[in-house]
């Protein structure tokens, strides 16, 4: 039977504790850092050559869906009752609301070095040393809302604009495309600075600290954020049930995106699965 991913604001005290304890155990076993490594390794931007799977590409959604499933599997090997909750950032919008409580993800980083000092993932609590990174900072950092140059989380209307688009993705299938559900949700905009970060990308910016780079998986909020992003794909499919993942076929030889993106029936590295196989999750999990 399918299990349920819940809104983080609906977790009981015990569910919060079990989720945190499972994360700490997966970290202790060394499995967590493999997820961080995978995310760093597949962080190819569209300015570089080669296949893009995780970001700036149609497979942004199935790629992160698979990463989440694998993390969830690791958590459930520790505690079968655990699922990855989602953070609805259109509703829980302050730096002190959920999920930033001391019994869940802990709070904001302190002034200066932005080190997180509260909650189970604070370095000084002894269980969360960052080992895989693009910098040499060993502790979790956050700058919720960006103190020096504030930005706001995306709104319900921002998200609705992405969900309303019936087309999954469209040429040139990268970070410059202005139409299509995928990039409107992933959130690469035109221009520079704050207005160009939308939805998914804007949330990474709002959290700040380690959530800014390829090693963003080091902040456990990564999973709660991507669980909510994943829910949007499920909602989009329900709303536009006659639409599917695109492209359905690989771009032809000679096309600038040939060999650079994953079509519906192509394997999506590092996994032996296609976007097509990841579209319908209803037998594995549902959102409550
Ligand atoms: Cu990512
Ligand atoms: Cu992300």
């Amino acid at each position: 039977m399918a299990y349920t991913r819940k809104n983080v604001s609906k977790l009981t005290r015990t569910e919060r504790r079990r989720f945190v304890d499972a994360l700490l155990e997966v970290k202790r076993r060394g499995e967590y850092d493999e997820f961080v490594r995978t995310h760093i390794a597949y962080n190819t931007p569209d300015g570089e050559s080669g296949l893009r799977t995780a970001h700036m590409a149609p497979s942004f959604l199935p790629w992160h869906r698979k990463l989440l499933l694998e993390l969830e599997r690791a958590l459930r090997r520790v505690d079968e009752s655990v699922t990855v909750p989602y953070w609805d950032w259109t509703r829980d919008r302050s730096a002190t609301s959920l999920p930033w409580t001391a019994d869940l993800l802990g709070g904001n980083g302190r002034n200066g070095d932005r080190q997180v000092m509260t909650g189970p993932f604070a370095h000084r609590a002894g269980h969360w040393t960052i080992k895989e990174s693009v910098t040499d900072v060993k502790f979790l950092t956050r700058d919720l809302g960006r103190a020096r140059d504030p930005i706001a989380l995306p709104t319900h209307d921002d998200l609705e604009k992405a969900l309303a688009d019936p087309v999954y993705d469209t040429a040139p299938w990268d970070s410059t495309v202005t139409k299509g559900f995928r990039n409107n949700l992933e959130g690469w905009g035109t221009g520079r600075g704050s207005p160009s970060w939308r939805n998914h990308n804007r949330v990474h910016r709002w959290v700040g600290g380690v959530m800014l780079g390829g090693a963003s998986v080091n902040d456990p909020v990564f999973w709660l954020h991507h669980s909510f992003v994943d829910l949007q794909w499920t909602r989009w499919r329900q709303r536009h049930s006659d639409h599917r993942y695109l492209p359905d076929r690989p771009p032809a030889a000679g096309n600038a995106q040939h060999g650079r993106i994953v079509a519906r029936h192509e394997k999506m590295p590092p996994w032996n699965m296609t976007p097509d196989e990841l579209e319908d999750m209803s037998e594995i999990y549902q959102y409550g």
Side-chain angles (χ1 to χ4, degrees):
M1 210 187 76
Y3 57 80
T4 302
R5 291 182 182 169
K6 296 179 185 170
N7 186 318
V8 71
S9 69
K10 299 279 167 23
L11 296 191
T12 64
R13 240 170 236 263
T14 309
E15 286 170 334
R16 291 186 196 184
R17 184 179 51 75
R18 295 181 81 146
F19 175 62
V20 166
D21 286 351
L23 275 170
L24 295 177
E25 177 59 17
V26 167
K27 174 79 170 175
R28 195 193 63 78
R29 293 178 178 184
E31 296 172 23
Y32 195 92
D33 293 317
E34 288 178 33
F35 292 100
V36 185
R37 273 196 292 278
T38 300
H39 193 265
I40 293 172
Y42 285 83
N43 201 26
T44 310
D46 53 21
E48 287 173 19
S49 60
L51 182 69
R52 301 186 311 281
T53 53
H55 309 106
M56 300 181 170
S59 53
F60 165 71
L61 286 162
W63 196 91
H64 287 85
R65 174 167 281 182
K66 182 64 177 156
L67 192 75
L68 244 77
L69 271 173
E70 292 300 316
L71 180 272
E72 200 164 46
R73 216 168 264 174
L75 294 174
R76 288 165 68 80
R77 281 195 295 269
V78 175
D79 181 343
E80 224 191 351
S81 76
V82 170
T83 64
V84 180
Y86 61 89
W87 167 35
D88 180 347
W89 26 258
T90 70
R91 287 174 182 270
D92 292 313
R93 303 177 60 78
S94 98
T96 50
S97 66
L98 279 165
W100 313 113
T101 55
D103 66 343
L104 203 60
L105 300 189
N108 200 359
R110 65 182 175 189
N111 290 332
D113 64 3
R114 309 309 320 177
Q115 180 171 180
V116 170
M117 304 303 288
T118 55
F121 306 99
H123 187 257
R124 62 176 185 178
H127 309 294
W128 206 260
T129 296
I130 291 178
K131 295 186 178 141
E132 299 295 332
S133 183
V134 286
T135 66
D136 21 289
V137 177
K138 297 282 175 269
F139 49 81
L140 186 57
T141 53
R142 288 178 189 141
D143 184 9
L144 303 182
R146 291 208 313 189
R148 264 185 302 172
D149 183 14
I151 58 167
L153 286 164
T155 63
H156 176 81
D157 286 354
D158 296 332
L159 196 52
E160 180 51 35
K161 193 176 159 262
L163 281 165
D165 197 327
V167 177
Y168 178 82
D169 203 353
T170 187
W173 318 107
D174 60 8
S175 70
T176 68
V177 55
T178 54
K179 287 186 183 161
F181 167 64
R182 187 274 308 171
N183 194 34
N184 275 296
L185 180 60
E186 188 179 1
W188 303 103
T190 49
R192 302 193 115 252
S194 177
S196 70
W197 306 316
R198 291 171 299 122
N199 289 318
H200 156 265
N201 281 348
R202 195 172 187 87
V203 174
H204 279 271
R205 294 278 169 175
W206 186 89
V207 176
V210 308
M211 272 286 273
L212 293 180
S216 49
V217 175
N218 280 312
D219 191 332
V221 79
F222 175 93
W223 308 105
L224 281 70
H225 173 35
H226 273 277
S227 181
F228 189 58
V229 169
D230 188 77
L231 165 57
Q232 307 316 312
W233 189 18
T234 301
R235 285 182 176 161
W236 177 87
R237 287 190 68 244
Q238 284 163 354
R239 200 188 290 195
H240 311 285
S241 54
D242 48 342
H243 287 261
R244 301 281 310 272
Y245 177 97
L246 292 172
D248 54 352
R249 282 159 221 269
N255 184 305
Q257 293 299 322
H258 177 75
R260 303 218 52 205
I261 58 168
V262 177
R264 191 186 298 159
H265 300 286
E266 292 184 296
K267 303 280 189 206
M268 184 180 64
W271 299 291
N272 196 29
M273 281 189 93
T274 67
D276 180 72
E277 291 165 330
L278 286 156
E279 269 189 321
D280 183 4
M281 289 289 108
S282 59
E283 285 181 8
I284 301 177
Y285 65 83
Q286 59 189 18
Y287 285 98

